[in-house]
Amino acid sequence: MRYLVAVLVSLWTSFAVAQEADIQSVITQQIEAFQQDDFEQAFTYASPNIQGFFGSSDRFGQMVVTGYPMVHRPDSVRYLELREIAGNLWQQVMITDTKGVIHVLDYQMKLIDGMWRINGVQILPPPGASA
């Protein structure tokens, strides 16, 4: 019985690590597309809800350029924890912008037709800020 539990824990851990790697890969690919001003490609990583809301890759790209400049032109990107909140997966990402300012963002991820897609991004309070 202990062996079965150990095998199940090992399988679950492997699945969780693979899931996290897949999620981080999608976010990385979208950021790389933004860095190249390839808004059409960046738009493909967004969920159908996000795509429907913006309607076009150009509108989506403009929103990122004006509302999320640290995502458009990051200096560095570091992945923090992946969490499940109310049945949704949220990947925390720490981005340092080109001026050296640190931003922490939460990416909501959805598994759609076997592919992870970004279903929203929110900027969290800066590190050290009180709520």
Side-chain angles (χ1 to χ4, degrees):
M1 183 59 142
R2 286 183 191 176
Y3 177 75
L4 178 59
V5 170
V7 168
L8 291 175
V9 168
S10 176
L11 288 173
W12 174 251
T13 301
S14 296
F15 173 75
V17 168
Q19 177 176 271
E20 186 171 24
D22 290 346
I23 286 171
Q24 291 176 2
S25 176
V26 167
I27 297 168
T28 297
Q29 290 174 69
Q30 187 183 61
I31 291 172
E32 288 171 351
F34 284 133
Q35 289 176 304
Q36 297 170 24
D37 290 330
D38 188 350
F39 301 131
E40 191 171 318
Q41 182 64 34
F43 199 51
T44 67
Y45 301 109
S47 71
N49 288 343
I50 297 298
Q51 291 175 352
F53 181 79
F54 288 99
S56 76
S57 59
D58 288 335
R59 277 190 237 147
F60 178 67
Q62 271 311 113
M63 179 277 300
V64 171
V65 169
T66 58
Y68 295 84
M70 74 291 283
V71 173
H72 182 233
R73 292 289 189 262
D75 187 54
S76 68
V77 177
R78 184 171 146 222
Y79 292 96
L80 304 176
E81 66 178 318
L82 176 65
R83 296 151 359 271
E84 183 179 344
I85 301 171
N88 295 304
L89 286 179
W90 292 86
Q91 174 67 61
Q92 248 184 28
V93 182
M94 183 168 61
I95 297 178
T96 304
D97 67 21
T98 56
K99 296 177 183 172
V101 177
I102 295 172
H103 307 269
V104 178
L105 291 85
D106 239 352
Y107 281 73
Q108 184 187 39
M109 304 300 295
K110 293 281 186 188
L111 189 60
I112 300 168
D113 296 329
M115 302 292 293
W116 287 104
R117 295 291 175 246
I118 299 165
N119 196 51
V121 178
Q122 56 185 344
I123 300 171
L124 301 176
S130 58

